[in-house]
Amino acid sequence: MLDEKMKVVDNLCIAKDTWKMTLVGRQITEEMKAGQFINLQIEGKTLRRPISVSSFDGGMASVTIIYKIVGEGTQKMSEMKVGEEIDVLGPLGNGFPIEKVASALLIGGGAGVAPLVQLARDLKAVGAQVKAVIGFPTAADVYGVSELEALGADVVVSTDDGSKGFKGNVMEAIKDKDLTGDVVYACGPVPMLKGVEGGFDRGYISLDIRMACGMGACMACVVKDKENPEKYYRVCKEGPVFAIGQVEL
Amino acid sequence: MSKDRQNVNNDRLRVSLPGLEMKNPVMPASGCFGFGREFAELYDLSLLGGVVMKAATEKPKFGNPTPRVAETPGGMLNAIGLQNPGVDKIIEREVKWLKGFDTCVIANVAGSAVDDYVRTAEKIGAAEGIDAIELNISCPNVKEGGIAFGTDAKVAAKLTSEVKKVSKVPVYVKLSPNVTDIVEIATAVEAAGADGLSMINTLMGMRLDLKTGRPIIANKTGGLSGPAIKPVAVRMIYQVYQAVKIPIIGMGGISASEDVLELMYAGAAAVAVGTANFTDPFACPKIIERLPEVMDKYGIDKIADATGLAHRV
């Protein structure tokens, strides 16, 4: 975990209320893994904004995040100009374990599509065939297709209203197209993750939850173990990635 | 952080309170720092005047459902619910570990009834490495105990005297601002034998989600902290300082060295920094580093001289 001043080198709108920002730092990418997150200090805001890493480039010490404008903090982020500096804490959390498998199925919903980009790259690097099913409310919300396809992933898009790709949610798309993999990786809203846990035994889910410190100290973001009610995990520290069936959703 | 090192042995910053000989008056507040392990990855905890540990209860406590936090203008609400691994594990793992740093260690003790408060205080007060107890009678986020002990002067005094009977270390009673007259509670616990006061805990608040119409925090209400509550802390410390002789550890919205001075002027002998640790994990060492410069600006030679200055001018 490092605290770095990073420079905004890119910040643009890629879908409805969805922005992509690239930051350049010094060492923050050295230990970074797919599925980890960074915690950004926003001027005038008490709490940092934890945003998952969409992709990173170790050689350039650059990190790309994809974030949705949901309130004042993310609105302020969208107004940041190229060249501005932002205080970043990271990398945080555990990240996705990269399994050496023949095929992997990546499932993303909304903002949860973002971290699948680096994940697809890392899985490709170990020789896995990568399929990605990504779901959004409507065509205007869709992003990530070109990034995932550029990495050689087969991409299926679903929208709730059918305005782009399959009409329905990601689980319905998976069923309809009979998609599978040796291991699944999922990131998205809790109902989607519950669907993933209902459909697959082997794989990982990544959780999105309100945090305060983002580094394991404040106990704001805890989840309970599914088997042992006495056991709990801090999503920011022991998570955000958990094995399917590990935590109470 | 090389400059911080110079401040470690800066005599101007030393403060002395019952059980606490501190190299500077700044410590992280209970609940905002865990047991320090995460922050120790970022800086040397020996830079701190002290560490106030996350609350300890007799048995392990999971706390409240999530969401447990929500941002507010100039601060945040939290309703963690005193999640902690229980006093035995805290002594075994955390106190032993914190002992390795050259800093004061204060144990925050919470409970649901007089009996478990007393047993927890007795145990942790006897643990090697604990310099003082902060008696938490002001947590607004638990159904039993907590604030119920901090809003009635007689109940607060009774608990204080029972804990004082068993504690091997000085006891600082942490007061709630959610009362009509904080001076009444402060004088009652002083009369009951408290060695010092710690104030203020969070102010009870609530936020609603406009989409759902429901409270954002699962517990419905939470404790408000952060810069927004600093004026309340200053006012309450000012009032209590006039009425008691025991020292006050001041907290509530400190995020800069200037805020340390302000709470000390009001009457604090030392301070704790809470929510600011979330905004900037280096908040405490940065505040300590800049303190001499701010003291120079306002003509304060020794930081201890700042305590209660507002009452002498």
Side-chain angles (χ1 to χ4, degrees):
Chain A
M1 173 174 54
L2 291 169
D3 183 38
E4 266 190 16
K5 291 262 186 264
M6 298 186 80
K7 198 167 262 183
V8 177
V9 294
D10 207 10
N11 192 19
L12 54 118
C13 184
I14 56 167
K16 188 184 161 214
D17 295 334
T18 308
W19 288 64
K20 180 168 160 176
M21 181 189 275
T22 300
L23 299 160
V24 170
R26 288 176 293 118
Q27 295 163 289
I28 201 160
T29 52
E30 273 174 21
E31 312 255 301
M32 198 170 269
K33 288 185 289 195
Q36 287 190 303
F37 68 96
I38 55 177
N39 216 357
L40 294 86
Q41 194 180 53
I42 315 289
E43 208 195 319
K45 289 282 158 192
T46 300
L47 297 180
R48 286 174 177 249
R49 295 301 185 270
I51 315 261
S52 66
V53 169
S54 180
S55 62
F56 63 90
D57 183 330
M60 304 287 288
S62 74
V63 179
T64 298
I65 54 174
I66 294 172
Y67 59 97
K68 210 164 165 113
I69 299 179
V70 291
E72 283 174 38
T74 39
Q75 177 67 41
K76 279 197 171 182
M77 282 173 63
S78 73
E79 289 159 11
M80 289 191 76
K81 302 271 178 286
V82 169
E84 277 187 64
E85 277 196 337
I86 187 162
D87 189 287
V88 177
L89 197 63
L92 299 165
N94 58 352
F96 290 112
I98 303 300
E99 292 204 10
K100 290 191 174 69
V101 289
S103 68
L105 178 62
L106 279 45
I107 308 166
V113 172
L116 303 184
V117 177
Q118 185 66 39
L119 176 64
R121 179 180 291 159
D122 293 352
L123 286 165
K124 275 282 174 191
V126 298
Q129 186 208 353
V130 177
K131 276 175 276 185
V133 191
I134 55 178
F136 304 88
T138 183
D141 301 298
V142 177
Y143 71 91
V145 179
S146 56
E147 284 90 342
L148 288 163
E149 283 181 346
L151 294 165
D154 294 327
V155 182
V156 173
V157 173
S158 78
T159 52
D160 296 338
D161 63 1
S163 52
K164 184 162 187 176
F166 178 84
K167 182 176 191 244
N169 65 37
V170 286
M171 289 313 293
E172 288 161 349
I174 288 166
K175 205 175 237 177
D176 183 72
K177 298 182 187 305
D178 200 22
L179 299 170
T180 185
D182 296 332
V183 61
V184 302
Y185 294 89
C187 185
V190 170
M192 186 200 98
L193 298 178
K194 282 185 174 167
V196 171
E197 293 216 333
F200 298 93
D201 299 327
R202 186 163 171 235
Y204 304 92
I205 57 165
S206 179
L207 300 183
D208 184 11
I209 188 170
R210 272 176 190 267
M211 295 177 178
C213 75
M215 50 190 265
C218 76
M219 301 292 159
C221 66
V222 293
V223 286
K224 281 185 176 166
D225 185 270
K226 208 167 210 166
E227 307 287 319
N228 180 357
E230 305 283 300
K231 197 172 174 185
Y232 63 86
Y233 306 96
R234 297 167 292 182
V235 172
C236 69
K237 195 85 177 174
E238 285 85 39
V241 177
F242 297 97
I244 283 176
Q246 189 182 351
V247 299
E248 195 80 63
L249 286 178
Chain B
M1 290 283 139
S2 60
K3 268 195 185 164
D4 301 344
R5 276 276 164 218
Q6 296 168 11
N7 281 349
V8 166
N9 295 310
N10 188 335
D11 275 339
R12 296 178 67 193
L13 298 184
R14 287 190 181 282
V15 291
S16 179
L17 288 82
L20 306 169
E21 292 300 325
M22 297 165 64
K23 60 184 79 164
N24 66 65
V26 180
M27 47 197 158
S30 182
C32 299
F33 204 71
F35 299 98
R37 287 185 186 271
E38 296 76 23
F39 290 85
E41 287 181 42
L42 297 171
Y43 63 84
D44 181 359
L45 303 188
S46 299
L47 295 169
L48 302 168
V51 170
V52 191
M53 296 194 295
K54 170 94 182 138
T57 51
E58 186 176 31
K59 298 272 183 295
K61 212 169 157 61
F62 177 72
N64 291 322
T66 56
R68 292 177 171 184
V69 291
E71 200 174 37
T72 63
M76 65 179 284
L77 290 169
N78 90 81
I80 305 295
L82 300 180
Q83 178 161 10
N84 78 95
V87 66
D88 293 333
K89 278 195 179 134
I90 290 173
I91 291 171
E92 189 188 307
R93 294 182 199 160
E94 312 301 344
V95 177
K96 261 188 194 159
W97 178 78
L98 276 168
K99 231 171 57 187
F101 296 94
D102 178 24
T103 192
C104 294
V105 180
I106 301 173
N108 183 292
V109 170
S112 54
V114 173
D115 292 0
D116 64 311
Y117 262 113
V118 167
R119 286 192 295 266
T120 307
E122 183 170 20
K123 245 184 198 172
I124 207 157
E128 201 192 325
I130 293 296
D131 299 300
I133 281 175
E134 181 176 68
L135 189 61
N136 185 350
I137 59 165
S138 44
C139 177
N141 300 323
V142 287
K143 283 196 184 70
E144 289 179 327
I147 201 168
F149 285 90
T151 48
D152 182 305
K154 274 190 195 129
V155 175
K158 170 82 175 139
L159 179 66
T160 304
S161 66
E162 293 300 317
V163 167
K164 268 301 286 178
K165 277 182 203 160
V166 300
S167 178
K168 289 201 166 58
V169 293
V171 176
Y172 292 76
V173 180
K174 186 162 185 177
L175 303 182
S176 170
N178 303 299
V179 292
T180 311
D181 182 6
I182 197 164
V183 173
E184 186 198 356
I185 316 267
T187 49
V189 299
E190 180 184 39
D195 298 283
L197 301 170
S198 184
M199 58 189 287
I200 54 175
N201 206 317
T202 54
L203 289 144
M204 214 190 280
M206 187 190 252
R207 272 203 65 195
L208 300 175
D209 183 328
L210 296 184
K211 268 188 222 150
T212 63
R214 295 197 188 103
I216 294 177
I217 289 185
N219 187 54
K220 293 185 183 164
T221 61
L224 180 66
S225 63
I229 73 163
K230 195 184 76 178
V232 181
V234 171
R235 185 265 292 183
M236 288 187 155
I237 293 166
Y238 188 94
Q239 289 177 323
V240 168
Y241 182 81
Q242 290 175 316
V244 301
K245 293 198 168 58
I246 50 178
I248 299 167
I249 299 173
M251 66 213 55
I254 293 177
S255 62
S257 311
E258 284 82 355
D259 304 330
V260 174
L261 228 50
E262 194 173 349
L263 264 67
M264 291 185 78
Y265 279 16
V271 297
V273 176
T275 304
N277 290 295
F278 302 156
T279 316
D280 179 1
F282 290 97
C284 289
K286 281 182 183 166
I287 287 169
I288 294 163
E289 183 182 355
R290 252 190 83 241
L291 202 48
E293 182 193 321
V294 176
M295 287 161 65
D296 288 345
K297 183 174 172 188
Y298 295 101
I300 303 293
D301 178 26
K302 289 190 157 48
I303 195 70
D305 300 338
T307 299
L309 188 138
H311 302 269
R312 299 191 294 269
V313 291

